[in-house]
Amino acid sequence: MKRSDVLSWDQYFMAMAHLSAKRSKDPNTQVGACIVNAQKRVVGLGYNGFPKGCDDDEFPWEREGEFLNTKYPYVVHAELNAILNSIQSLSGCTIYVSLFPCNECAKAIIQSGIRCVVYESDKYNGTDENIASKKMFRDAGVELVQLTYQTHVDVQVNRGEKQS
Ligand SMILES: Nc1ccn([C@H]2C[C@H](O)[C@@H](COP(=O)(O)O)O2)c(=O)n1
Ligand SMILES: [Zn+2]
């Protein structure tokens, strides 16, 4: 008899996003992203880190203090890295990301042609950046799906996947 308790597609691609996040050297928040095309092929992976050539022993990982002495002006977000690392046009693709995209990544996601964002954590819900992201995604018609343990079965059904 075949196994029935296999990962759904959503769990599988979110697991790849989490695996990518394990490459991040950010001591506070590690984010991973996985972009998938309509044929369910992975076309881009990324995690948050400093740009190529910027030594992560030299650049700051601090969250607070003088802006230029924090990570914020330097770090490339997981979603942008996944887009920049992608191997094909992203029109109609889905991005799986472990943390809801910020407003800067939302712009890049929309402009790249990605049509669906599947995310897990939304720990910055309610911040200005988060509100701006959601407004842009809504107006651009990008589908947002939060993948949680509770919603997982509903998501499977909504996406037409067989349950077990
Ligand atoms: N959707 C996101 C949100 C944030 N990031 C990155 C940027 C930083 O490296 C880190 C957030 O740091 P925190 O302010 O939580 O200490 O996560 C990302 O890649 N994608
Ligand atoms: Zn971002």
Side-chain angles (χ1 to χ4, degrees):
M1 182 135 73
K2 72 177 182 184
R3 289 177 59 230
S4 57
D5 59 339
V6 299
L7 294 181
S8 69
W9 286 111
D10 283 333
Q11 287 175 318
Y12 179 58
F13 294 127
M14 188 59 83
M16 287 191 203
H18 280 290
L19 183 65
S20 303
K22 289 185 186 294
R23 284 278 309 151
S24 175
K25 293 180 180 153
D26 189 319
N28 192 57
T29 304
Q30 303 83 42
V31 186
C34 174
I35 304 175
V36 178
N37 71 12
Q39 288 72 45
K40 299 206 181 318
R41 300 247 161 85
V42 174
V43 296
L45 290 167
Y47 56 88
N48 51 326
F50 296 131
K52 278 183 196 139
C54 298
D55 188 341
D56 46 32
D57 290 321
E58 307 259 317
F59 278 76
W61 281 116
E62 273 65 41
R63 305 182 73 230
E64 282 164 8
E66 171 69 27
F67 183 61
L68 291 179
N69 296 330
T70 70
K71 62 187 171 183
Y72 296 110
Y74 310 111
V75 75
V76 185
H77 288 195
E79 302 91 317
L80 186 59
N81 267 327
I83 290 169
L84 295 172
N85 289 336
S86 62
I87 55 168
Q88 64 156 72
S89 153
L90 300 182
S91 239
C93 285
T94 293
I95 187 166
Y96 290 79
V97 61
S98 55
L99 176 60
F100 191 83
C102 74
N103 59 310
E104 292 300 328
C105 290
K107 295 178 211 173
I109 288 168
I110 292 165
Q111 292 301 79
S112 74
I114 289 172
R115 298 303 298 158
C116 180
V117 176
V118 182
Y119 63 100
E120 213 169 64
S121 167
D122 193 12
K123 70 174 179 171
Y124 292 120
N125 182 33
T127 61
D128 285 352
E129 290 85 352
N130 184 279
I131 292 167
S133 291
K134 286 174 181 161
K135 181 174 167 54
M136 287 188 280
F137 283 137
R138 189 181 56 239
D139 285 16
V142 174
E143 186 187 1
L144 301 178
V145 178
Q146 186 167 27
L147 199 61
T148 62
Y149 182 74
Q150 284 88 349
T151 59
H152 169 63
V153 170
D154 298 340
V155 168
Q156 269 187 303
V157 171
N158 286 341
R159 290 165 169 264
E161 284 183 40
K162 276 196 275 184
Q163 274 184 279
S164 70

